[in-house]
């Protein structure tokens, strides 16, 4: 009886230590890299993701895993966007049952030159409006973006996405006689609304 209690106690101690370690320290893995890359390729076959090792942390209360990667780049042809970090929540239940496991993704970019963002967007969305927009207004400045996307159980993107961030130190030539300088603002975009705050411009 005492031996059984010791074995059970030892088992629970090991489990507690393991859960604590995974919750605080986490582990590094490349296990989810292919699944993440495939979701990007679903958006555009010519898009690729330069994905480093992913850090995995356990959330025992929500029964999911939190993955995080730093220094990622989204690449198309000879252009790329620098990503500060990508955070991914992964359902343990779906992972064990072999279903699509990614619940949501949060992407935070580094400070990106707006002209580079427009050029990159043109490679993905080849529409004349972007070309006109780029050539006509000659926009210079920087943007920081935070993007949150959720997926359903089949891996489809839900329509409750959120785009937020800042535009800073931006200038644009509206016409020969009018130009914007030192444009700064915060933005919050959903499917239903576009909110602009703290607008400061000359």
């Amino acid at each position: 009886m005492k031996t059984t209690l010791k074995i059970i106690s030892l088992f629970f101690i090991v489990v507690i230590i393991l859960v604590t370690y995974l919750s605080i320290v986490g582990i590094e893995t490349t296990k989810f890299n292919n699944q993440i890359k495939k979701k990007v390729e679903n958006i555009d076959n010519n898009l690729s993701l330069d994905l480093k090792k992913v850090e995995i942390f356990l959330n025992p209360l929500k029964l999911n895993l939190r993955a995080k990667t730093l220094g990622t780049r989204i690449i198309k042809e000879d252009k790329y966007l620098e990503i500060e970090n990508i955070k991914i929540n992964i359902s343990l239940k779906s992972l064990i049952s072999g279903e699509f496991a990614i619940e949501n993704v949060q992407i935070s970019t580094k400070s990106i030159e707006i002209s580079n963002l427009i050029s990159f967007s043109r490679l993905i969305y080849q529409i004349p409006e972007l070309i006109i927009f780029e050539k006509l207004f000659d926009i210079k400045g920087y943007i920081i973006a935070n993007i949150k996307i959720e997926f359903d159980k089949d891996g489809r993107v839900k329509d409750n996405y959120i785009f937020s961030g800042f535009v800073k130190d931006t200038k644009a030539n509206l016409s020969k006689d009018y130009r914007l300088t030192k444009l700064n603002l915060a933005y919050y975009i959903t499917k239903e609304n576009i909110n602009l705050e703290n607008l400061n411009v000359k």
Side-chain angles (χ1 to χ4, degrees):
M1 185 67 177
K2 288 184 179 179
T3 303
T4 303
L5 287 175
K6 286 181 179 179
I7 293 173
I8 293 173
S9 299
L10 181 61
F11 173 77
F12 278 108
I13 290 171
V14 171
V15 169
I16 290 171
I17 292 173
L18 183 60
V19 169
T20 303
Y21 181 85
L22 290 176
S23 301
I24 299 174
V25 180
I27 58 173
E28 284 191 354
T29 180
T30 58
K31 179 178 177 59
F32 301 102
N33 286 24
N34 287 336
Q35 194 175 32
I36 297 168
K37 289 178 179 179
K38 284 179 180 177
K39 293 310 297 180
V40 172
E41 290 171 1
N42 286 345
I43 300 172
D44 188 318
N45 289 331
N46 296 316
L47 278 180
S48 62
L49 203 62
D50 179 16
L51 194 60
K52 311 299 182 184
K53 285 185 178 180
V54 178
E55 293 180 341
I56 303 291
F57 298 88
L58 174 66
N59 187 333
L61 298 179
K62 294 184 178 180
L63 291 178
N64 67 10
L65 299 173
R66 179 170 54 87
K68 181 179 180 180
T69 181
L70 300 173
T72 303
R73 297 194 302 176
I74 300 177
I75 304 168
K76 172 125 183 181
E77 296 180 7
D78 61 339
K79 297 185 182 296
Y80 60 86
L81 294 181
E82 294 278 359
I83 305 299
E84 182 69 29
N85 63 66
I86 300 177
K87 298 178 182 177
I88 307 146
N89 284 330
I90 301 164
S91 168
L92 278 175
K93 180 181 177 182
S94 298
L95 185 64
I96 293 170
S97 61
E99 299 174 353
F100 183 81
I102 298 177
E103 296 176 327
N104 61 65
V105 175
Q106 297 181 55
I107 302 171
S108 297
T109 72
K110 294 184 178 181
S111 184
I112 301 171
E113 288 190 32
I114 294 177
S115 58
N116 289 344
L117 179 61
I118 295 172
S119 297
F120 188 86
S121 300
R122 279 180 53 199
L123 294 176
I124 301 173
Y125 305 104
Q126 297 178 2
I127 54 177
E129 288 86 349
L130 280 175
I131 299 174
I132 295 170
F133 189 78
E134 181 180 26
K135 300 299 182 183
L136 188 62
F137 296 116
D138 187 28
I139 298 176
K140 306 292 183 184
Y142 298 89
I143 185 169
I144 298 173
N146 298 299
I147 304 164
K148 184 175 181 179
I149 302 171
E150 293 187 4
F151 299 93
D152 64 19
K153 62 180 182 179
D154 297 316
R156 293 188 294 263
V157 177
K158 295 182 179 180
D159 61 4
N160 59 345
Y161 55 81
I162 297 173
F163 295 85
S164 62
F166 303 91
V167 173
K168 59 180 184 178
D169 298 331
T170 299
K171 62 181 181 179
N173 296 322
L174 302 181
S175 69
K176 184 178 179 180
D177 299 317
Y178 297 96
R179 68 177 59 179
L180 296 176
T181 60
K182 296 185 179 179
L183 171 63
N184 294 278
L185 61 86
Y187 63 89
Y188 187 89
I189 301 171
T190 65
K191 182 182 178 182
E192 306 296 334
N193 295 295
I194 298 177
N195 294 325
L196 304 179
E197 300 177 346
N198 302 325
L199 178 62
N200 184 6
V201 65
K202 289 186 178 181

